[in-house]
Every structure is written in C-alpha cells, then in structure tokens.
mmCIF file of all heavy atoms in Angstrom:
data_model
loop_
_atom_site.group_PDB
_atom_site.id
_atom_site.type_symbol
_atom_site.label_atom_id
_atom_site.label_comp_id
_atom_site.label_asym_id
_atom_site.label_seq_id
_atom_site.Cartn_x
_atom_site.Cartn_y
_atom_site.Cartn_z
ATOM 1 N N GLU A 9 15.389 13.726 -9.097
ATOM 2 C CA GLU A 9 15.368 13.233 -10.507
ATOM 3 C C GLU A 9 16.670 12.554 -10.807
ATOM 4 O O GLU A 9 16.620 11.433 -11.478
ATOM 5 C CB GLU A 9 15.183 14.512 -11.413
ATOM 6 C CG GLU A 9 15.076 14.197 -12.863
ATOM 7 C CD GLU A 9 13.787 13.328 -13.222
ATOM 8 O OE1 GLU A 9 12.905 13.198 -12.436
ATOM 9 O OE2 GLU A 9 13.797 12.845 -14.399
ATOM 10 N N ILE A 10 17.808 13.093 -10.436
ATOM 11 C CA ILE A 10 19.057 12.389 -10.791
ATOM 12 C C ILE A 10 19.137 10.943 -10.165
ATOM 13 O O ILE A 10 19.592 10.047 -10.785
ATOM 14 C CB ILE A 10 20.262 13.252 -10.061
ATOM 15 C CG1 ILE A 10 20.360 14.520 -10.755
ATOM 16 C CG2 ILE A 10 21.495 12.458 -10.052
ATOM 17 C CD1 ILE A 10 21.373 15.502 -10.084
ATOM 18 N N PHE A 11 18.597 10.813 -8.904
ATOM 19 C CA PHE A 11 18.670 9.506 -8.271
ATOM 20 C C PHE A 11 17.467 8.617 -8.695
ATOM 21 O O PHE A 11 17.320 7.545 -8.036
ATOM 22 C CB PHE A 11 18.799 9.633 -6.830
ATOM 23 C CG PHE A 11 20.078 10.246 -6.399
ATOM 24 C CD1 PHE A 11 20.083 11.456 -5.563
ATOM 25 C CD2 PHE A 11 21.253 9.778 -6.774
ATOM 26 C CE1 PHE A 11 21.239 11.995 -5.188
ATOM 27 C CE2 PHE A 11 22.521 10.342 -6.380
ATOM 28 C CZ PHE A 11 22.467 11.531 -5.610
ATOM 29 N N GLN A 12 16.620 9.023 -9.618
ATOM 30 C CA GLN A 12 15.483 8.295 -10.072
ATOM 31 C C GLN A 12 14.553 7.838 -8.897
ATOM 32 O O GLN A 12 14.028 6.765 -8.885
ATOM 33 C CB GLN A 12 15.929 6.937 -10.786
ATOM 34 C CG GLN A 12 16.792 7.186 -11.910
ATOM 35 C CD GLN A 12 17.091 5.843 -12.619
ATOM 36 O OE1 GLN A 12 16.166 5.085 -12.994
ATOM 37 N NE2 GLN A 12 18.348 5.477 -12.739
ATOM 38 N N THR A 13 14.386 8.777 -7.926
ATOM 39 C CA THR A 13 13.698 8.454 -6.692
ATOM 40 C C THR A 13 12.236 8.040 -6.999
ATOM 41 O O THR A 13 11.741 7.007 -6.498
ATOM 42 C CB THR A 13 13.666 9.605 -5.719
ATOM 43 O OG1 THR A 13 15.040 10.016 -5.541
ATOM 44 C CG2 THR A 13 13.049 9.395 -4.431
ATOM 45 N N ILE A 14 11.520 8.780 -7.825
ATOM 46 C CA ILE A 14 10.110 8.482 -8.151
ATOM 47 C C ILE A 14 9.970 7.202 -8.982
ATOM 48 O O ILE A 14 9.126 6.339 -8.673
ATOM 49 C CB ILE A 14 9.400 9.630 -8.925
ATOM 50 C CG1 ILE A 14 9.604 10.964 -8.114
ATOM 51 C CG2 ILE A 14 7.942 9.364 -9.131
ATOM 52 C CD1 ILE A 14 9.020 11.074 -6.777
ATOM 53 N N TYR A 15 10.910 6.973 -9.915
ATOM 54 C CA TYR A 15 10.914 5.690 -10.682
ATOM 55 C C TYR A 15 11.071 4.464 -9.703
ATOM 56 O O TYR A 15 10.283 3.522 -9.807
ATOM 57 C CB TYR A 15 11.992 5.721 -11.713
ATOM 58 C CG TYR A 15 12.100 4.448 -12.481
ATOM 59 C CD1 TYR A 15 11.034 4.042 -13.291
ATOM 60 C CD2 TYR A 15 13.177 3.617 -12.432
ATOM 61 C CE1 TYR A 15 11.070 2.820 -13.996
ATOM 62 C CE2 TYR A 15 13.327 2.454 -13.149
ATOM 63 C CZ TYR A 15 12.288 2.069 -13.923
ATOM 64 O OH TYR A 15 12.319 0.888 -14.620
ATOM 65 N N GLU A 16 12.090 4.543 -8.835
ATOM 66 C CA GLU A 16 12.243 3.440 -7.862
ATOM 67 C C GLU A 16 11.051 3.248 -6.956
ATOM 68 O O GLU A 16 10.602 2.146 -6.652
ATOM 69 C CB GLU A 16 13.538 3.654 -7.058
ATOM 70 C CG GLU A 16 14.729 3.449 -7.957
ATOM 71 C CD GLU A 16 16.093 3.814 -7.175
ATOM 72 O OE1 GLU A 16 16.051 3.952 -5.943
ATOM 73 O OE2 GLU A 16 17.083 3.832 -7.891
ATOM 74 N N GLU A 17 10.484 4.367 -6.480
ATOM 75 C CA GLU A 17 9.199 4.292 -5.754
ATOM 76 C C GLU A 17 8.089 3.553 -6.462
ATOM 77 O O GLU A 17 7.485 2.667 -5.875
ATOM 78 C CB GLU A 17 8.820 5.663 -5.342
ATOM 79 C CG GLU A 17 7.747 5.880 -4.315
ATOM 80 C CD GLU A 17 7.451 7.368 -4.102
ATOM 81 O OE1 GLU A 17 8.221 8.078 -3.460
ATOM 82 O OE2 GLU A 17 6.305 7.753 -4.461
ATOM 83 N N ALA A 18 7.990 3.949 -7.705
ATOM 84 C CA ALA A 18 6.919 3.235 -8.561
ATOM 85 C C ALA A 18 7.192 1.786 -8.741
ATOM 86 O O ALA A 18 6.282 0.978 -8.737
ATOM 87 C CB ALA A 18 6.823 3.965 -9.941
ATOM 88 N N MET A 19 8.430 1.398 -9.032
ATOM 89 C CA MET A 19 8.829 0.057 -9.208
ATOM 90 C C MET A 19 8.509 -0.801 -7.938
ATOM 91 O O MET A 19 8.334 -2.082 -8.070
ATOM 92 C CB MET A 19 10.340 -0.034 -9.583
ATOM 93 C CG MET A 19 10.550 0.421 -10.997
ATOM 94 S SD MET A 19 9.834 -0.455 -12.348
ATOM 95 C CE MET A 19 10.910 -1.865 -12.450
ATOM 96 N N GLU A 20 8.706 -0.192 -6.769
ATOM 97 C CA GLU A 20 8.486 -0.912 -5.558
ATOM 98 C C GLU A 20 7.010 -0.983 -5.282
ATOM 99 O O GLU A 20 6.553 -1.967 -4.580
ATOM 100 C CB GLU A 20 9.167 -0.245 -4.427
ATOM 101 C CG GLU A 20 10.669 -0.477 -4.362
ATOM 102 C CD GLU A 20 11.462 0.331 -3.383
ATOM 103 O OE1 GLU A 20 10.787 0.765 -2.337
ATOM 104 O OE2 GLU A 20 12.598 0.605 -3.540
ATOM 105 N N ALA A 21 6.175 0.003 -5.672
ATOM 106 C CA ALA A 21 4.760 0.040 -5.287
ATOM 107 C C ALA A 21 3.819 -0.672 -6.305
ATOM 108 O O ALA A 21 2.782 -1.093 -5.918
ATOM 109 C CB ALA A 21 4.324 1.519 -5.270
ATOM 110 N N TYR A 22 4.318 -0.943 -7.461
ATOM 111 C CA TYR A 22 3.433 -1.521 -8.560
ATOM 112 C C TYR A 22 4.244 -2.713 -9.228
ATOM 113 O O TYR A 22 5.447 -2.726 -9.184
ATOM 114 C CB TYR A 22 3.004 -0.416 -9.618
ATOM 115 C CG TYR A 22 2.322 0.731 -8.942
ATOM 116 C CD1 TYR A 22 2.994 1.804 -8.576
ATOM 117 C CD2 TYR A 22 1.037 0.677 -8.571
ATOM 118 C CE1 TYR A 22 2.395 2.894 -7.944
ATOM 119 C CE2 TYR A 22 0.324 1.610 -7.903
ATOM 120 C CZ TYR A 22 1.036 2.791 -7.574
ATOM 121 O OH TYR A 22 0.418 3.821 -6.963
ATOM 122 N N LYS A 23 3.405 -3.490 -9.892
ATOM 123 C CA LYS A 23 4.086 -4.595 -10.637
ATOM 124 C C LYS A 23 4.958 -3.927 -11.764
ATOM 125 O O LYS A 23 4.601 -3.071 -12.437
ATOM 126 C CB LYS A 23 2.979 -5.446 -11.359
ATOM 127 C CG LYS A 23 2.152 -6.255 -10.434
ATOM 128 C CD LYS A 23 1.329 -7.239 -11.235
ATOM 129 C CE LYS A 23 0.251 -7.919 -10.256
ATOM 130 N NZ LYS A 23 -0.992 -7.297 -10.463
ATOM 131 N N GLU A 24 6.279 -4.472 -11.842
ATOM 132 C CA GLU A 24 7.221 -3.948 -12.722
ATOM 133 C C GLU A 24 6.669 -3.820 -14.127
ATOM 134 O O GLU A 24 6.968 -2.776 -14.862
ATOM 135 C CB GLU A 24 8.412 -4.946 -12.815
ATOM 136 C CG GLU A 24 9.724 -4.332 -12.780
ATOM 137 C CD GLU A 24 10.855 -5.373 -12.600
ATOM 138 O OE1 GLU A 24 11.091 -5.805 -11.496
ATOM 139 O OE2 GLU A 24 11.455 -5.692 -13.659
ATOM 140 N N GLU A 25 5.878 -4.700 -14.678
ATOM 141 C CA GLU A 25 5.383 -4.685 -15.975
ATOM 142 C C GLU A 25 4.492 -3.593 -16.322
ATOM 143 O O GLU A 25 4.248 -3.201 -17.523
ATOM 144 C CB GLU A 25 4.837 -6.023 -16.538
ATOM 145 C CG GLU A 25 3.589 -6.420 -15.726
ATOM 146 C CD GLU A 25 4.021 -7.392 -14.573
ATOM 147 O OE1 GLU A 25 5.156 -7.348 -14.060
ATOM 148 O OE2 GLU A 25 3.076 -8.091 -14.023
ATOM 149 N N ILE A 26 3.857 -2.945 -15.340
ATOM 150 C CA ILE A 26 2.989 -1.784 -15.609
ATOM 151 C C ILE A 26 3.700 -0.466 -15.496
ATOM 152 O O ILE A 26 3.062 0.607 -15.679
ATOM 153 C CB ILE A 26 1.658 -1.866 -14.780
ATOM 154 C CG1 ILE A 26 1.896 -1.527 -13.354
ATOM 155 C CG2 ILE A 26 0.901 -3.207 -15.006
ATOM 156 C CD1 ILE A 26 0.543 -1.072 -12.633
ATOM 157 N N VAL A 27 4.943 -0.438 -15.039
ATOM 158 C CA VAL A 27 5.637 0.849 -14.805
ATOM 159 C C VAL A 27 6.569 1.142 -16.038
ATOM 160 O O VAL A 27 7.384 0.368 -16.369
ATOM 161 C CB VAL A 27 6.521 0.755 -13.477
ATOM 162 C CG1 VAL A 27 7.299 2.117 -13.288
ATOM 163 C CG2 VAL A 27 5.585 0.428 -12.301
ATOM 164 N N HIS A 28 6.340 2.327 -16.511
ATOM 165 C CA HIS A 28 7.110 2.746 -17.817
ATOM 166 C C HIS A 28 7.712 4.153 -17.566
ATOM 167 O O HIS A 28 6.954 4.995 -17.121
ATOM 168 C CB HIS A 28 6.228 2.725 -19.028
ATOM 169 C CG HIS A 28 5.565 1.403 -19.219
ATOM 170 N ND1 HIS A 28 6.160 0.335 -19.864
ATOM 171 C CD2 HIS A 28 4.368 0.949 -18.821
ATOM 172 C CE1 HIS A 28 5.312 -0.686 -19.923
ATOM 173 N NE2 HIS A 28 4.310 -0.394 -19.293
ATOM 174 N N GLN A 29 8.899 4.378 -18.048
ATOM 175 C CA GLN A 29 9.524 5.677 -17.991
ATOM 176 C C GLN A 29 9.301 6.359 -19.358
ATOM 177 O O GLN A 29 9.330 5.766 -20.368
ATOM 178 C CB GLN A 29 11.013 5.600 -17.792
ATOM 179 C CG GLN A 29 11.388 5.122 -16.352
ATOM 180 C CD GLN A 29 12.884 5.185 -16.154
ATOM 181 O OE1 GLN A 29 13.408 6.251 -16.006
ATOM 182 N NE2 GLN A 29 13.618 4.056 -16.266
ATOM 183 N N LEU A 30 8.995 7.673 -19.351
ATOM 184 C CA LEU A 30 8.793 8.489 -20.605
ATOM 185 C C LEU A 30 9.673 9.707 -20.475
ATOM 186 O O LEU A 30 9.722 10.364 -19.488
ATOM 187 C CB LEU A 30 7.416 8.902 -20.718
ATOM 188 C CG LEU A 30 6.257 7.882 -20.845
ATOM 189 C CD1 LEU A 30 4.858 8.554 -20.882
ATOM 190 C CD2 LEU A 30 6.488 6.994 -22.147
ATOM 191 N N HIS A 31 10.467 9.942 -21.507
ATOM 192 C CA HIS A 31 11.280 11.194 -21.507
ATOM 193 C C HIS A 31 10.354 12.365 -21.787
ATOM 194 O O HIS A 31 9.394 12.319 -22.554
ATOM 195 C CB HIS A 31 12.369 11.093 -22.692
ATOM 196 C CG HIS A 31 13.322 10.089 -22.403
ATOM 197 N ND1 HIS A 31 14.324 10.244 -21.453
ATOM 198 C CD2 HIS A 31 13.641 8.788 -22.932
ATOM 199 C CE1 HIS A 31 15.111 9.188 -21.362
ATOM 200 N NE2 HIS A 31 14.644 8.351 -22.267
ATOM 201 N N SER A 32 10.598 13.412 -21.112
ATOM 202 C CA SER A 32 9.800 14.668 -21.106
ATOM 203 C C SER A 32 10.589 15.890 -21.195
ATOM 204 O O SER A 32 10.644 16.569 -20.176
ATOM 205 C CB SER A 32 8.780 14.590 -19.933
ATOM 206 O OG SER A 32 7.861 15.692 -20.010
ATOM 207 N N ASN A 33 11.329 16.079 -22.282
ATOM 208 C CA ASN A 33 12.112 17.238 -22.449
ATOM 209 C C ASN A 33 11.636 18.307 -23.411
ATOM 210 O O ASN A 33 11.882 19.420 -23.231
ATOM 211 C CB ASN A 33 13.556 16.788 -22.867
ATOM 212 C CG ASN A 33 14.197 16.018 -21.738
ATOM 213 O OD1 ASN A 33 14.470 16.545 -20.625
ATOM 214 N ND2 ASN A 33 14.502 14.702 -21.953
ATOM 215 N N THR A 34 11.037 17.862 -24.507
ATOM 216 C CA THR A 34 10.704 18.671 -25.669
ATOM 217 C C THR A 34 9.188 18.553 -26.042
ATOM 218 O O THR A 34 8.621 17.608 -25.612
ATOM 219 C CB THR A 34 11.559 18.328 -26.889
ATOM 220 O OG1 THR A 34 11.141 16.972 -27.206
ATOM 221 C CG2 THR A 34 13.007 18.281 -26.704
ATOM 222 N N PRO A 35 8.714 19.547 -26.763
ATOM 223 C CA PRO A 35 7.389 19.425 -27.299
ATOM 224 C C PRO A 35 7.248 18.102 -28.207
ATOM 225 O O PRO A 35 6.112 17.454 -28.201
ATOM 226 C CB PRO A 35 7.190 20.551 -28.162
ATOM 227 C CG PRO A 35 8.138 21.666 -27.670
ATOM 228 C CD PRO A 35 9.299 20.791 -27.137
#
C-alpha cells in the first residue's frame, strides 16, 4: 500500500484514463 504497488500495476495494465484511485478509510 505504501509503495502504491496495485495502483502502478493498474496504470500499466489499463489505459490511464480508466484508472481511478478512491480513498477508503471511513464510512
């Protein structure tokens, strides 16, 4: 999570414009 591994994986696997980060900390 610290190194944004999954985000970077997604950015490499899919077109940049369809990849979005969402914060998921609270209800």
Side-chain angles (χ1 to χ4, degrees):
E9 186 64 13
I10 291 168
F11 295 126
Q12 303 186 55
T13 306
I14 309 294
Y15 176 65
E16 289 176 10
E17 190 179 289
M19 290 295 281
E20 287 173 22
Y22 303 97
K23 290 189 192 101
E24 220 172 283
E25 60 269 18
I26 73 162
V27 178
H28 304 274
Q29 294 188 73
L30 296 175
H31 291 288
S32 180
N33 292 298
T34 64

